[in-house]
Amino acid sequence: MADGTAPRKLIFKILRYNPKVPGDRPRLQSYQLEEADGMTLFIALNEIRDKQDGSLAFDFVCRAGICGSCAMMIDGRPGLACRTLTKSLGAEITLAPLPVFELIADLSVDTGKWMRGMSERLETWVHLKEGEVDLRRIEERMDPDLAEEIFELDRCIECGCCVAGCGTARMREDFVGAVGLNKIARFRLDPRDTRSDEDFYELVGDDNGVFGCMSLLGCHDVCPKQLPLQTQIAFLRRKMVSQGMK
Amino acid sequence: MKVVYTDVLVIGGGLAGLRLAVGAKRRGHDAIILSLVPPKRSHSKAAQGGMQASLGNVSKGQGDTEDVHFEDTVRGSDWGADQEVVRMFVNTSPKAVRELAAWGVPWSRVRKGDRQAVINGQKVTLTERDEAHGTVAQRDFGGTKKWRTCYVADATGHAMITAVADRAIAESIPVHERKEALALIHDGGRCLGAVVRDLVTGEVLAYVAKATAIATGGAGRLYRNTTNAVICEGIGHAIALETGVAALGNMEAVQFHPTAIFPAGILVTEGCRGDGGLLKDASGHRFMPDYEPEKKELASRDVVSRRMEEHIRKGNGVKSRFGEHLWLDITLLGEKHIHQNLREVWDICHYFLGVDPVKDFIAVRPAQHYTMGGVRTKPTGESPTLKGLFSAGEAACWDMHGFNRLGGNSVAETVVAGMIVGEFVADFCDKPENAVTVPVGLVQDFVEREKAKLDAIANRRGGEDPSVLKLEMQDLMSSQVGIFRTGEDLQKAVDGLQKLLARARNVGVRSAAPGPNPELVTAYRVQRMIKLALTIAYGALTRTESRGAHFRSDYPRRNDAEWLKRTLATWKSDSDTLPTLDYEPLDVTRMELPPGWRGYGAKDYIDHPDTPARAAEIEAIKASGKAPDRFALQQALMPFEHLLPEPLRGRNERIDEPF
Ligand SMILES: Cc1cc2nc3c(=O)[nH]c(=O)nc-3n(C[C@H](O)[C@H](O)[C@H](O)COP(=O)(O)OP(=O)(O)OC[C@H]3O[C@@H](n4cnc5c(N)ncnc54)[C@H](O)[C@@H]3O)c2cc1C
């Protein structure tokens, strides 16, 4: 290695299961790999697939921590594999797919379907005022601080870590998760969205929404974008309580 | 055989595909989007720096107009662009930013009053006008005269695609995720949809459509060192090429970005330099002013990348165990600026390099970044040779980038082309004569052919290893078809790739497991990728001049007399081992901006014989004083508005140009 020491022998224990293969059962499979400088789980998993086992399924896209494709359970904790350096882990590394989401195979899960379902239910888009915007005219002004605040909540990459780390989501299939609640908080803040608290209450004012959260804050701790989920959920809950009492 | 029918089949769920689908749907046509991944994970997501639109809100952008944006883009392209398309683009880009603003993109906004900035290594105070407060802000980017790049911190693509993908959900447009188009269905003159593989089940099915659009993004993974996502493998380009009818334009035009972190290849945005960051060498010397006194770090990307490699070749690189690199220094921007406006950059440095860019330099070296070439289209976005096939975004050669695209012009192109081409796709579908009755026999033939190819690979044991073929291809491309090219190297690349192509016909896999089978995916893609690599290498070998990002050390001058033309590549027959190249001349006599010096980079070039006459003609029109304003003058030089769809015509309001 860079410091002259001999490279570590890493052992990867990977949860394998391909539901498309008749008779296949979930099992832990071990792979050995020599560690290299700057090795990330992205590099390691590709090396295993290229050199040892062409059937190993996992998802990477940007490999830069930007797109959220590669969330998985890394030693039991949800995280982005692409930006996890092997040197931050022990010599034995256990990888498993995110729970809650439908399994595709091995480390690959269908977060896309889940996120689309959540988006449709919560209508995660700006509900515009009547009448089309005249694109030829100067854009509506927005306070620069407000734009930054909205961006702060808009940074969610829908990786699914918060859902995988959430006690409620594991028990309650329709729980919208911190990802959903954060989106509601984001659109609530956005003056371009015409929805009122009454409308938002319709969407998240129940146990599948903001009242389902048990405040265990698994979501907050595992969010790879460090979104302020804890404060946002607490704030949203207060707003929804007062809306509910109206 | 499973057949899905829709009016518009959009292959690709990046910014271009999504926006195009929204346009078609709003005009009453059903659209289905296919994507390898959930759409928000498309590579558009990774755009950091921003989107060019001549809003002219910030003080350093004052005086900006479509005219300035037009000239910057054409110069940037080294006169390879279609100037009419550039005009369509620059006129629509402000509308696109404003549409996205209405859709919820949290654009960074102008704050009135004084603020500190770094320009050319110096701290300066900029003062923003009261009347600009709260409008969309712009930052500086390479190759532009004015500050024109609108941004959302350094996560512009993320914010854009979040809003546009959610807009597609709002419009109830289905996205069929984890579906890969493997071939276009066509009868030699008309495109009728695509053969598609389900990446979860492995099932092969047919999608039949009136109009099919390729919006599959770039092909960076043909190279070893690239900033592109792992899914940017150019399969969309390849399936167009494999029709033998549609042509790919200018595939040899490949952009290398100056600042990919070394050695991982992950991009740090041009915004780093736009905001004042400097390039330095092993001895800490800022070297760009030595080479490019005019634009320094902010010359166009092709120029900066070449200068960096040149500087390394002269022995000024920083040596490391992975090879040589240079430094990007953004420490002078200060902690607050970095944490607020370059946060993604901070994350990348932290996670992948283990350094803090507030205090440390960033190791960088140029890497493949952008595919200027693509599916050749008319200004409407339709292929001139294969009816019903459209293309938009990075996958297309529309052609507004020519031989070098400017930073910030690409995400702008995606949404602008999505808006424009979406309207033309809708027009196409409106016409009764373009209705499609499912040609069962033809569809069946195409599906069977693809299935047979897949089966042959899946059942071949002991064949060529797909990941080895891919690595060898990427190494050839990075070492022989890179920033500096010579006839000798390119010939080596072509020979080597032809051998790889022959071997790829014998590719096999270790397991025929049902379901996703990632090894099978690599195998069928690598066959197509090698064809595409050959198209680039052969085009580069044949083009004996230097233009934009295509630089031939053995032909260092731009040669307008012989090469002011667009390369068109087709792949006539599956047994061919080279593409067929044709050339489409660019007409100087109709250009609004005839070829000249770019304002940076090499000053000597060989003129086109028509250039002096056209230049004189333009001078005469300008001097006649007949045009009352810039709009009339532009109209006199090169009318373009008639090319735009009706709803997108019209001027753009600015603070300095109120309606
Ligand atoms: C790191 C990075 C930073 C960048 N920063 C900027 C910037 O600041 N400003 C700027 O202007 N430009 C930038 N660019 C360029 C710009 O982001 C891209 O050119 C642009 O986003 C491409 O958009 P697209 O819609 O054409 O394609 P993409 O966003 O790449 O989408 C392609 C889509 O096609 C799908 N697809 C591909 N093949 C198939 C197939 N065979 N079947 C089905 N679906 C398929 C994919 O799933 C995906 O949905 C950057 C590029 C990179 C690499």
Side-chain angles (χ1 to χ4, degrees):
Chain A
M1 306 285 280
D3 56 7
T5 56
R8 290 194 299 173
K9 290 254 178 297
L10 301 177
I11 297 173
F12 286 88
K13 297 202 155 165
I14 300 180
L15 191 66
R16 301 291 313 268
Y17 177 45
N18 180 351
K20 302 292 175 312
V21 175
D24 199 25
R25 290 191 178 286
R27 63 194 188 282
L28 273 182
Q29 189 166 342
S30 292
Y31 302 92
Q32 270 205 26
L33 198 67
E34 190 167 287
E35 191 168 33
D37 267 324
M39 182 178 259
T40 58
L41 291 179
F42 165 71
I43 296 172
L45 284 170
N46 276 291
E47 200 167 317
I48 292 173
R49 180 150 90 190
D50 284 348
K51 305 233 170 90
Q52 302 184 33
D53 187 342
S55 69
L56 182 63
F58 49 75
D59 292 320
F60 288 100
V61 179
C62 76
R63 59 78 173 96
I66 292 170
C67 77
S69 300
C70 63
M72 57 181 70
M73 302 300 278
I74 304 165
D75 287 337
R77 188 185 158 87
L80 298 183
C82 73
R83 68 177 201 191
T84 302
L85 291 162
T86 52
K87 75 170 182 211
S88 69
L89 304 168
E92 193 176 296
I93 300 166
T94 309
L95 301 178
L98 288 188
V100 183
F101 302 99
E102 199 174 303
L103 180 74
I104 292 174
D106 303 335
L107 301 173
S108 171
V109 294
D110 199 340
T111 45
K113 191 168 162 188
W114 195 100
M115 294 297 165
R116 170 103 185 194
M118 176 274 295
S119 277
E120 285 172 352
R121 270 172 56 209
L122 300 186
E123 304 187 3
T124 59
W125 53 86
V126 167
H127 288 51
L128 294 167
K129 296 188 193 82
E130 283 303 310
E132 289 234 10
V133 197
D134 184 348
L135 301 180
R136 301 175 333 132
R137 310 299 300 231
I138 292 177
E139 63 277 8
E140 220 170 283
R141 285 168 171 77
M142 179 184 273
D143 182 73
D145 291 325
L146 179 58
E148 270 169 32
E149 279 172 53
I150 294 172
F151 170 62
E152 187 60 28
L153 303 185
D154 205 45
R155 286 166 46 242
C156 169
I157 55 174
E158 302 186 9
C159 60
C161 285
C162 61
V163 176
C166 169
T168 307
R170 290 187 186 217
M171 295 182 320
R172 208 181 257 287
E173 204 182 318
D174 289 329
F175 183 57
V176 299
V179 50
L181 297 174
N182 176 67
K183 284 189 188 272
I184 293 298
R186 180 241 176 272
F187 289 107
R188 240 191 118 256
L189 200 58
D190 195 326
R192 294 166 291 200
D193 196 318
T194 52
R195 285 178 288 183
S196 63
D197 271 350
E198 207 177 323
D199 300 320
F200 290 125
Y201 188 82
E202 284 292 310
L203 297 171
V204 294
D206 63 6
D207 285 352
N208 285 325
V210 76
F211 301 123
C213 168
M214 301 183 290
S215 304
L216 302 174
L217 304 175
C219 56
H220 188 90
D221 296 337
V222 297
C223 175
K225 291 285 146 183
Q226 282 99 36
L227 291 171
L229 298 174
Q230 180 177 1
T231 38
Q232 287 306 318
I233 293 175
F235 179 72
L236 192 62
R237 183 166 19 214
R238 283 203 302 281
K239 290 290 164 195
M240 291 298 113
V241 167
S242 48
Q243 178 60 40
M245 293 195 305
K246 265 187 194 164
Chain B
M1 181 178 63
K2 193 167 158 196
V3 181
V4 181
Y5 180 82
T6 182
D7 295 328
V8 183
L9 177 65
V10 181
I11 306 173
L15 279 170
L18 289 164
R19 182 58 187 85
L20 191 159
V22 168
K25 182 74 195 272
R26 286 185 164 184
R27 292 268 307 270
H29 302 288
D30 279 338
I32 293 178
I33 298 174
L34 302 178
S35 176
L36 302 175
V37 296
K40 284 177 195 157
R41 292 180 185 162
S42 304
H43 201 48
S44 292
K45 179 82 157 201
Q48 300 168 6
M51 157 166 182
Q52 284 204 41
S54 59
L55 300 182
N57 290 329
V58 295
S59 58
K60 285 279 183 185
Q62 267 182 276
D64 199 12
T65 62
E66 298 83 2
D67 297 348
V68 191
H69 192 185
F70 169 82
E71 292 210 359
D72 285 344
T73 304
V74 174
R75 288 178 201 281
S77 82
D78 221 352
W79 278 273
D82 179 329
Q83 297 195 4
E84 285 176 339
V85 170
V86 177
R87 269 292 172 190
M88 293 166 72
F89 162 74
V90 296
N91 205 58
T92 309
S93 195
K95 299 181 176 70
V97 170
R98 287 165 176 168
E99 178 175 84
L100 291 171
W103 288 1
V105 171
W107 294 114
S108 297
R109 302 284 174 148
V110 180
R111 194 187 302 272
K112 66 182 173 197
D114 288 353
R115 72 190 169 93
Q116 299 299 313
V118 176
I119 298 176
N120 193 17
Q122 304 296 316
K123 287 211 164 72
V124 293
T125 302
L126 298 178
T127 310
E128 300 300 346
R129 304 173 273 181
D130 285 0
E131 56 281 28
H133 187 76
T135 57
V136 173
Q138 290 79 41
R139 62 159 48 128
D140 200 5
F141 248 45
T144 66
K145 282 216 182 73
K146 298 281 177 185
W147 290 24
R148 186 183 300 125
T149 303
C150 307
Y151 59 97
V152 182
D154 63 349
T156 311
H158 164 87
M160 288 171 71
I161 200 163
T162 301
V164 180
D166 283 340
R167 180 56 38 192
I169 299 175
E171 310 269 346
S172 304
I173 297 171
V175 182
H176 293 191
E177 296 174 4
R178 297 179 188 262
K179 297 266 193 307
E180 174 168 7
L182 290 184
L184 294 173
I185 300 169
H186 67 97
D187 62 8
R190 171 83 163 91
C191 183
L192 297 157
V195 181
V196 172
R197 179 170 181 271
D198 184 318
L199 293 169
V200 176
T201 64
E203 183 190 14
V204 175
L205 53 163
Y207 282 72
V208 174
K210 287 184 195 170
T212 305
I214 292 184
T216 49
R221 290 281 157 177
L222 297 176
Y223 285 82
R224 186 71 181 272
N225 304 313
T226 175
T227 63
N228 282 195
V230 299
I231 59 167
C232 299
E233 302 193 301
I235 302 305
H237 291 86
I239 62 177
L241 185 68
E242 288 189 325
T243 61
V245 185
L248 301 185
N250 285 346
M251 286 306 290
E252 65 271 31
V254 179
Q255 178 172 85
F256 293 80
H257 195 292
T259 58
I261 64 167
F262 186 83
I266 296 169
L267 182 88
V268 290
T269 173
E270 184 155 316
C272 290
R273 282 169 292 133
D275 291 1
L278 306 175
L279 291 168
K280 295 185 171 169
D281 63 17
S283 54
H285 171 63
R286 178 187 176 198
F287 57 90
M288 276 309 292
D290 307 342
Y291 295 102
E292 295 294 329
E294 287 91 0
K295 298 285 291 183
K296 307 177 183 75
E297 278 84 358
L298 288 171
S300 66
R301 287 178 180 174
D302 55 327
V303 171
V304 178
S305 292
R306 269 199 300 278
R307 297 306 196 186
M308 289 170 73
E309 289 295 325
E310 191 179 338
H311 202 60
I312 291 175
R313 284 181 181 197
K314 286 184 187 161
N316 299 308
V318 185
K319 305 214 170 20
S320 87
R321 45 176 311 207
F322 299 105
E324 291 178 85
H325 64 81
L326 293 162
W327 297 118
L328 172 65
D329 172 11
I330 61 170
T331 58
L332 65 170
L333 306 188
E335 180 163 3
K336 180 157 174 268
H337 182 90
I338 292 173
H339 284 303
Q340 215 159 56
N341 291 320
L342 297 170
R343 184 164 171 165
E344 206 69 64
V345 169
W346 190 90
D347 267 5
I348 288 168
C349 292
H350 173 74
Y351 286 106
F352 297 95
L353 288 173
V355 305
D356 178 358
V358 173
K359 301 193 297 260
D360 308 315
F361 292 178
I362 309 167
V364 293
R365 183 157 188 179
Q368 191 286 347
H369 182 59
Y370 187 81
T371 311
M372 266 81 71
V375 181
R376 178 68 188 131
T377 71
K378 301 184 271 193
T380 58
E382 192 180 8
S383 161
T385 43
L386 189 55
K387 192 175 166 197
L389 178 68
F390 292 79
S391 186
E394 189 170 344
C397 177
W398 189 26
D399 163 8
M400 56 164 279
H401 304 301
F403 276 73
N404 177 64
R405 72 123 174 142
L406 293 183
N409 258 355
S410 176
V411 285
E413 176 187 22
T414 62
V415 279
V416 165
M419 291 165 88
I420 293 174
V421 179
E423 293 294 327
F424 286 121
V425 163
D427 289 350
F428 180 89
C429 292
D430 278 343
K431 296 198 180 109
E433 69 267 26
N434 290 330
V436 166
T437 41
V438 182
V440 184
L442 185 76
V443 173
Q444 183 122 29
D445 285 350
F446 270 87
V447 170
E448 291 309 324
R449 193 184 312 167
E450 290 312 311
K451 274 190 179 160
K453 285 193 220 164
L454 292 174
D455 287 346
I457 301 174
N459 296 323
R460 192 178 291 128
R461 296 285 166 284
E464 292 282 348
D465 181 334
S467 58
V468 170
L469 290 174
K470 186 165 153 184
L471 262 183
E472 287 187 26
M473 172 199 69
Q474 290 172 330
D475 279 341
L476 270 175
M477 292 300 285
S478 279
S479 61
Q480 321 282 359
V481 200
I483 295 181
F484 289 101
R485 301 169 174 184
T486 65
E488 197 181 329
D489 285 350
L490 291 167
Q491 188 62 55
K492 267 190 230 155
V494 169
D495 295 345
L497 290 166
Q498 282 184 305
K499 285 197 193 103
L500 284 180
L501 183 65
R503 284 168 58 193
R505 288 178 175 148
N506 195 30
V507 68
V509 288
R510 282 165 287 188
S511 132
N517 198 347
E519 196 184 15
L520 178 67
V521 174
T522 309
Y524 65 69
R525 285 189 192 163
V526 81
Q527 293 180 321
R528 295 173 168 88
M529 291 168 80
I530 295 172
K531 285 185 182 167
L532 209 54
L534 266 165
T535 307
I536 295 176
Y538 189 50
L541 174 65
T542 314
R543 183 174 286 273
T544 47
E545 66 152 356
S546 293
R547 185 178 296 274
H550 170 69
F551 188 83
R552 290 280 302 255
S553 309
D554 45 355
Y555 296 92
R557 290 202 292 174
R558 191 179 86 208
N559 182 346
D560 291 339
E562 286 177 73
W563 285 106
L564 194 57
K565 51 192 182 185
R566 191 171 288 121
T567 310
L568 296 179
T570 48
W571 201 284
K572 298 285 184 206
S573 145
D574 213 36
S575 57
D576 286 356
T577 63
L578 276 182
T580 304
L581 300 185
D582 292 295
Y583 292 93
E584 176 189 351
L586 274 68
D587 187 355
V588 176
T589 64
R590 290 175 48 218
M591 284 184 184
E592 179 176 341
L593 186 66
W597 181 51
R598 298 168 87 189
Y600 43 78
K603 284 189 179 152
D604 62 333
Y605 49 87
I606 301 167
D607 247 335
H608 191 279
D610 293 344
T611 299
R614 177 60 179 160
E617 196 177 356
I618 289 171
E619 279 320 305
I621 296 173
K622 285 184 180 163
S624 75
K626 278 195 200 127
D629 57 22
R630 68 181 185 91
F631 303 101
L633 177 62
Q634 195 287 321
Q635 167 78 15
L637 297 176
M638 190 187 71
F640 73 95
E641 259 221 318
H642 62 286
L643 295 169
L644 281 170
E646 179 69 41
L648 296 175
R649 292 182 194 166
R651 294 180 188 180
N652 298 299
E653 189 182 28
R654 292 182 182 76
I655 298 171
D656 295 320
E657 280 185 328
F659 280 0

